[in-house]
Amino acid sequence: VVKVPALVHVLRYGVCIVLAKVFLAAYDFPVLMRSLRLLELLLREPAVAQAVAEELHLLLPLVYSLTDSDRTLWQRAMALEFLKGVCEDEDMLPLLFVLPPPARAEGRFSQGPYVQMVDTMGRFMHQIC
């Protein structure tokens, strides 16, 4: 796990909260693009991802919701590009698989991030077919 508690605190209560706000109201292209890149960097480092696992359980479904049919095409394209990058990275994909599901979640959020990602891609395929 990360050896600097102050870094984990900043990631949890600063960076992840701002990312959640951006993903909820993703109206600005450059801001969304940079936010997805920051989330990718958080996922790329396994120790950091484990330290902010609870926050990832909130952030990843928000990114997955960007692929819904009510979103604009550029939002959907950016979210799918993010998912493509995750699927192509041999370090990130297993990390999503081993992150446990959140303890107090219900419904579709009770599944782990890997299963949610597969469901999201399946829903997207049904929308375009």
Side-chain angles (χ1 to χ4, degrees):
V1 184
V2 179
K3 296 179 182 180
V4 182
L7 174 63
V8 174
H9 181 75
V10 168
L11 289 173
R12 265 197 189 138
Y13 300 108
V15 174
C16 290
I17 290 174
V18 171
L19 287 177
K21 288 179 182 180
V22 167
F23 296 148
L24 282 172
Y27 300 117
D28 194 22
F29 181 85
V31 173
L32 181 60
M33 183 172 62
R34 290 180 183 115
S35 299
L36 287 171
R37 174 70 177 142
L38 184 55
L39 181 59
E40 181 183 335
L41 292 173
L42 289 175
L43 285 171
R44 193 171 300 267
E45 183 59 43
V48 174
Q50 292 291 340
V52 294
E54 289 182 28
E55 288 75 16
L56 290 176
H57 286 296
L58 170 72
L59 294 173
L60 290 170
L62 292 175
V63 172
Y64 301 155
S65 71
L66 292 174
T67 64
D68 291 342
S69 60
D70 61 337
R71 296 298 188 138
T72 62
L73 288 177
W74 66 267
Q75 290 171 330
R76 295 173 83 185
M78 290 182 76
L80 289 171
E81 187 67 30
F82 171 79
L83 292 176
K84 176 183 168 256
V86 169
C87 291
E88 289 177 343
D89 192 303
E90 60 188 35
D91 295 327
M92 274 195 278
L93 194 59
L95 178 71
L96 291 182
F97 190 74
V98 298
L99 279 177
R104 299 178 306 267
E106 296 178 5
R108 77 177 206 198
F109 295 108
S110 64
Q111 302 167 332
Y114 182 82
V115 174
Q116 288 177 352
M117 182 178 65
V118 171
D119 288 346
T120 297
M121 289 191 279
R123 276 195 320 271
F124 178 76
M125 291 304 294
H126 285 291
Q127 290 172 2
I128 62 171
C129 291

